[in-house]
Amino acid sequence: MNLTIDREVLLENLNTISRGLPTKSPMPILTGIKLYVTENDLFMTSSNSDISVEVTINDASLEIKEPGQTVVPGKFIDIIRKINSRKVNLYLAEDKILVIKADRGEYKLYVMDPLEYPKMDFVALENPLKLNADVLKNMIKSTVFATSSSEKKPILTGVNFTNVNNTLTVVATDSFRLSQKVISIEPYNDFNITIPNKSLDELLKAIDQFAGDVNLYFQSNKLLAQFKNVCFQTRLLDGNYPDTSKLISSNFAINLTFNKDELIEAVERVSLLSPRDSAKDKEITYSIVKLELKKDRSVEISTTNSQIGDAKEELLPTGIDADGPIAVGFSSRYLLDALKSFISTEVTLGLQAETRPFIVRGENDSNLTQLILPVRMN
Amino acid sequence: MNLTIDREVLLENLNTISRGLPTKSPMPILTGIKLYVTENDLFMTSSNSDISVEVTINDASLEIKEPGQTVVPGKFIDIIRKINSRKVNLYLAEDKILVIKADRGEYKLYVMDPLEYPKMDFVALENPLKLNADVLKNMIKSTVFATSSSEKKPILTGVNFTNVNNTLTVVATDSFRLSQKVISIEPYNDFNITIPNKSLDELLKAIDQFAGDVNLYFQSNKLLAQFKNVCFQTRLLDGNYPDTSKLISSNFAINLTFNKDELIEAVERVSLLSPRDSAKDKEITYSIVKLELKKDRSVEISTTNSQIGDAKEELLPTGIDADGPIAVGFSSRYLLDALKSFISTEVTLGLQAETRPFIVRGENDSNLTQLILPVRMN
């Protein structure tokens, strides 16, 4: 194996490969990157328990002097990142050492046996679902934060994607809040899959700079996203995702519209004083604030902390369709996460009653709904 | 107590005060900030075991309606930082609560008893030593990183400032490397003091935006730095600082001059592969690289790692005054710390022998010397 390539091209592809590279693994060979060089192409592969990534490089700068294959340690990425030469030469010495030559530098890395690297199948069946990368990024970003971080109900650590009659509904919930985005897609078979949140975080990073179409290929227990020269494959979560379709009401006693940034800033300030509960299973009681519509149609965001003191901010809603008073208490983090998922300047809170879930929508975020379960206030 | 002040003015002074504010303290009252309001001035004080800071505010925006005093929790700073109103009003309610009013927000903080706050004396005796803030920053930045992080020899956790005949010598060493900066000062009494490294880190932050003269007042066990409206006082370390004056030789077998950035980059890249030793007391064996002047007058920076592989970079010195070969092994972090303390584009390494300390100097960094003890190579 012996090749020369532009460092920038190699680095960009290694950054993509790093999305699937574990730092530790029960199979040590998986902490390495497989390089497979044919007459014309350089293939690089990484894999962890959730994700496998493969890139195919046949860039104009790639000069292959000798095909071959090997598995190099993850350190390879650090070296290519730090080098500042325009070109790098990579060759295998006695099948034991990868030599990296760059200007006046020479780096030697002990390699692993490529025959030990498990065979990865990136099966691109026919008929992919094509989704624009920006649409896909938006769907993931507006929902993934609401997945559960606890493994108690593993299915809730994923985001559910359900297609029924070409309407794709994307849902995430940790059972204290729920995020839902609905879009129309091109005609495509119905499906119902749940993708691990970590896989989606990595996919987001992998497609961050990409603006074209992503091809999605569905299999029984995995999903392959193919774009540019990249195959990104993730396992799917087993089990049935709970039916959340009836949780989101469409009737609200009161709809309150706010300037989003004003609401975010007021909640952030007030939550400085809200009592903290760092107990893991008590996330719901974390940083509680209260939102209250008063009789005079002003809104007060407030908190009381027996240790430190209390805080309140008064806000004037830009829209209001019924009279109060009504109040809800909630985790400020949940409302802040929800608000930050909107691009709209104005957001509307739909309230039912003190003990009923409330929702947030934005005029310019069509079919995005954030639902938050209130907490009991003293 | 009741006053109104521009938020920006208050925040800037609170940022200074935060330099002396502990998050935890055996004396809970010290986790608070003392506010003391006279007819004309607002005084704020903070103190931890090493540092005490006091600011005196009589800004044009300050309107005092009622004098008084109190001790407010550190949370006060977070609130003032997050508020975005132009003015804030602070008043004491029943000596129990500080009320902070800003636009439509109202924050109440439980306060502590100001009579419990220990009396701080910021004694500015006569005849300070005046040092320009930029000169002082430079002296601290070029030495403080070389102090010891271990408490084994407490005196080495400080930076030593010695004035003899108006020549101020500033030295730090962890016994594996040494930094020394020498400057001439205005006529002033001889002194020999050692300032804790943490105090100097905080002083650096406190004077970061300041460019005028800092007045230094020396006392037997403490030092007061006075600038703008700020009194910054630190305790001094007990004990005699070791005499390091004979460690720095002026005769070197070989002087090698390099472009500083090229040398930094080569060492950083090579050290990617150097063996790590995370054992605390073995700092000296951390990330070892070797620098070797070859017979052909080229210089090789290299490392060997039995686990991963090896690396080498060839550099051409821009100046060289004797023939090799000669080689030294050292902690790459020590050389990188040292190199980054120079503003010079070109730096010169003075080498004696494989087992003897070597030094670094820069053409535009007058009287700055960095010394590094080599490690034995296999």
Side-chain angles (χ1 to χ4, degrees), chain B residues 54-70:
Chain B
E54 183 171 82
V55 298
T56 310
I57 306 175
N58 48 23
D59 183 77
S61 78
L62 176 65
E63 282 175 57
I64 294 170
K65 287 175 196 138
E66 196 190 335
Q69 60 176 330
T70 188

Side-chain angles (χ1 to χ4, degrees), chain A residues 51-70:
Chain A
I51 303 165
S52 302
V53 185
E54 183 172 82
V55 297
T56 309
I57 307 177
N58 47 22
D59 183 76
S61 78
L62 177 64
E63 282 175 56
I64 294 170
K65 287 175 196 138
E66 195 190 336
Q69 61 176 330
T70 189

Side-chain angles (χ1 to χ4, degrees), chain A residues 289-340:
Chain A
V289 303
K290 178 172 145 188
L291 181 149
E292 186 176 4
L293 172 66
K294 302 200 158 176
K295 283 190 182 163
D296 67 1
R297 297 200 148 200
S298 72
V299 167
E300 189 178 276
I301 317 276
S302 63
T303 195
T304 300
N305 184 329
S306 58
Q307 305 289 313
I308 312 179
D310 48 59
K312 65 181 182 202
E313 288 269 351
E314 192 186 78
L315 275 180
L316 298 178
T318 55
I320 178 169
D321 68 354
D323 279 319
I326 185 171
V328 280
F330 50 86
S331 151
S332 62
R333 205 192 93 209
Y334 289 175
L335 182 62
L336 291 169
D337 283 349
L339 291 173
K340 287 171 183 175

